[in-house]
Amino acid sequence: MKKVLITTAIPYVNDRPHIGFALEAIQADALARYFRLLGYKTFFLTGTDENAIKNAKKAKELGMTAQELVDKNAQRFFNLKTLLNLSFDNFIRTTSTQHIKGAQKFWELCKKDIYKKKYSGLYCVGCESFYKDGEFENNVCPYHNKPLEKVEEENYFFALSRYQNKLLEIYEKGEIKIVPEFRKKEVVKFIEKGLEDFSISRPKERTYNWGIDVPGDPSQKIYVWFDALVNYLTGLSFSEDSKTYQEFWLENNNKIHIIGKDIIKFHLIYWPAMLLSAGLPLPNKVFVHGFLTLNKKKMSKTLGNVVYPEELVEKYGIGATRYYFLREVVSWDDGDFSYERMNDIYSSELSNELGNLISRVTNLAQKDRIKTHFPEVPFKDLMPKEFYQHVESFELHLALELIREKIKKLNKMMDKEAPWRKKPEERKDFLEEMLFELYKIGKALQPFMPETGKTIEQSCLDQIKKVKPLFPRLK
Ligand SMILES: [Zn+2]
């Protein structure tokens, strides 16, 4: 049986999730559902990154413990499961015992490449990362718009430099496939400039004693990236060497990470080097999406320029919300959200094109008491082969474009045939043909809009009944 592992990056939990993370979660979910429908044994993993110093700092300000804060915020991310109809199989939290044990086990496996040294460097608290002098203009972090701080301390280091040639070889041979392709060039260029060993621990005083202890040295906490990346293993119960871990990491050549473009360095340089050091298999594909802007401007809470997924689901429903992020946003590029565009897509593509088509066909079929007996069509035969190629090359927007073209074609057929002017016996064959096409569309839509797709499929089967409007007029 074919297998696939799909993961999202695990977000920091210092705030409630906005649509930026919702985009990634929906993309990953569409892929997971797609592979399940194709019959793959699928594991979809997500979770939360909770050991950041930021959390300890913020909890202190709020007068609560860091654990209380992350418990509260992690729940908000977990709640996306219901809100956005996500089908993840596990939600790994980096403060869980399972993750802590796994992160420490992983550290031990990399021991030959770990050493201690005095270090001073330029640090961004927002990124929780050290940067090179001159890496950014004026040493200001472009992601957080804050000057990098000079930090001096004794830390453990990971000998990344030892893996420079091996990593270049991996990308030359295409052992890890990156979509879009141009990201690979960025990565290779970065490696060619020369890789430096990086700090993988911090003195516990600087972390407010928050984080995972370095095995054998409780005066140090594991640096957040060296701990967080390991979630891809611990989420499969790596510490217990479970069957799931063996099946989906060790014996699976279809491990797909979905990440944002800001964390390429960690996923395409640090993570493979860490796995090489530990003697473990590499991921096979990394799909990189862009950033989401709001009305073409950077989303920022301080500017009041943020949209939360709850608002969209309440106004447009889960199906339409998912549709927007999968269809309007080019999967591997930057995208924009605006209410104007959302309203536009909702009323044109969803309500007028798809919703109307379904109600026009089913209303007549119901009047004529049509009962259908379609042969079961396997998911792999619903659409032309380009559809499957698009999804598997992380072009979800193009897969949906194909479905939309089909819907448009069926609408044209309806207008041309005008079955409402005909007698029931004259239009029976035509309506049955339309119902069969709609049944296939309903099934093909299920990775993207699971409930809407199922409703469409069901409403074309057996005794045709009146269907409630799928995309009701907006309030
Ligand atoms: Zn930063």
Side-chain angles (χ1 to χ4, degrees), residues 182-195:
F182 66 82
R183 297 280 174 213
K184 182 168 130 180
K185 291 192 193 106
E186 284 177 34
V187 170
V188 169
K189 228 169 150 185
F190 191 92
I191 301 173
E192 281 171 344
K193 273 197 285 180
L195 295 180

Side-chain angles (χ1 to χ4, degrees), residues 124-128 131 141-145 148:
C124 170
V125 183
C127 300
E128 306 227 355
Y131 292 102
C141 170
Y143 309 113
H144 295 94
N145 244 329
L148 302 173

Side-chain angles (χ1 to χ4, degrees), residues 397-413:
H397 57 296
L398 294 182
L400 277 171
E401 182 64 37
L402 280 182
I403 297 183
R404 189 182 170 217
E405 275 164 23
K406 218 171 154 181
I407 293 166
K408 278 165 110 173
K409 208 175 110 197
L410 294 178
N411 269 316
K412 271 197 192 123
M413 281 168 69

Side-chain angles (χ1 to χ4, degrees), residues 118-310:
K118 264 224 157 55
Y119 182 73
S120 92
L122 293 168
Y123 190 78
C124 170
V125 183
C127 300
E128 306 227 355
S129 185
F130 282 100
Y131 292 102
K132 280 185 215 168
D133 194 9
E135 187 165 343
F136 300 134
E137 208 175 314
N138 304 320
N139 289 334
V140 171
C141 170
Y143 309 113
H144 295 94
N145 244 329
K146 274 186 190 148
L148 302 173
E149 286 169 41
K150 196 161 180 179
V151 170
E152 192 175 80
E153 60 199 17
E154 192 169 43
N155 289 337
Y156 287 96
F157 273 72
F158 176 74
L160 181 67
S161 56
R162 290 181 195 160
Y163 292 94
Q164 178 162 334
N165 293 335
K166 184 70 193 156
L167 286 172
L168 283 174
E169 194 189 310
I170 283 166
Y171 289 116
E172 241 159 64
K173 286 190 185 157
E175 281 175 45
I176 300 176
K177 188 178 156 57
I178 305 172
V179 179
E181 179 77 20
F182 66 82
R183 297 280 174 213
K184 182 168 130 180
K185 291 192 193 106
E186 284 177 34
V187 170
V188 169
K189 228 169 150 185
F190 191 92
I191 301 173
E192 281 171 344
K193 273 197 285 180
L195 295 180
E196 281 173 23
D197 298 352
F198 68 99
S199 160
I200 57 168
S201 77
R202 295 167 297 204
K204 68 173 190 200
E205 294 75 28
R206 190 151 72 78
T207 74
Y208 306 86
N209 202 24
W210 181 242
I212 301 176
D213 286 349
V214 166
D217 185 354
S219 74
Q220 294 264 327
K221 298 285 185 185
I222 302 180
Y223 164 78
V224 71
W225 278 101
F226 205 81
D227 131 28
L229 286 163
V230 185
N231 93 84
Y232 300 127
L233 309 180
T234 60
L236 305 170
S237 309
F238 160 72
S239 67
E240 296 107 85
D241 198 22
S242 73
K243 216 182 139 234
T244 311
Y245 167 67
Q246 293 183 20
E247 198 175 6
F248 286 97
W249 197 272
L250 296 183
E251 297 152 15
N252 173 15
N253 294 320
N254 208 7
K255 301 184 282 292
I256 307 176
H257 292 322
I258 299 171
I259 62 167
K261 66 178 183 182
D262 53 330
I263 51 179
I264 292 177
K265 183 170 96 181
F266 304 101
H267 281 79
L268 295 170
I269 298 175
Y270 290 10
W271 179 227
M274 288 159 64
L275 287 164
L276 288 168
S277 173
L280 298 176
L282 301 174
N284 307 95
K285 289 179 191 165
V286 179
F287 293 164
V288 186
H289 64 79
F291 284 163
L292 207 53
T293 50
L294 182 62
N295 302 313
K296 306 269 161 78
K297 286 190 199 96
K298 187 178 169 344
M299 258 194 286
S300 145
K301 206 177 157 186
T302 37
L303 298 174
N305 200 41
V306 183
V307 169
Y308 295 100
E310 290 86 347

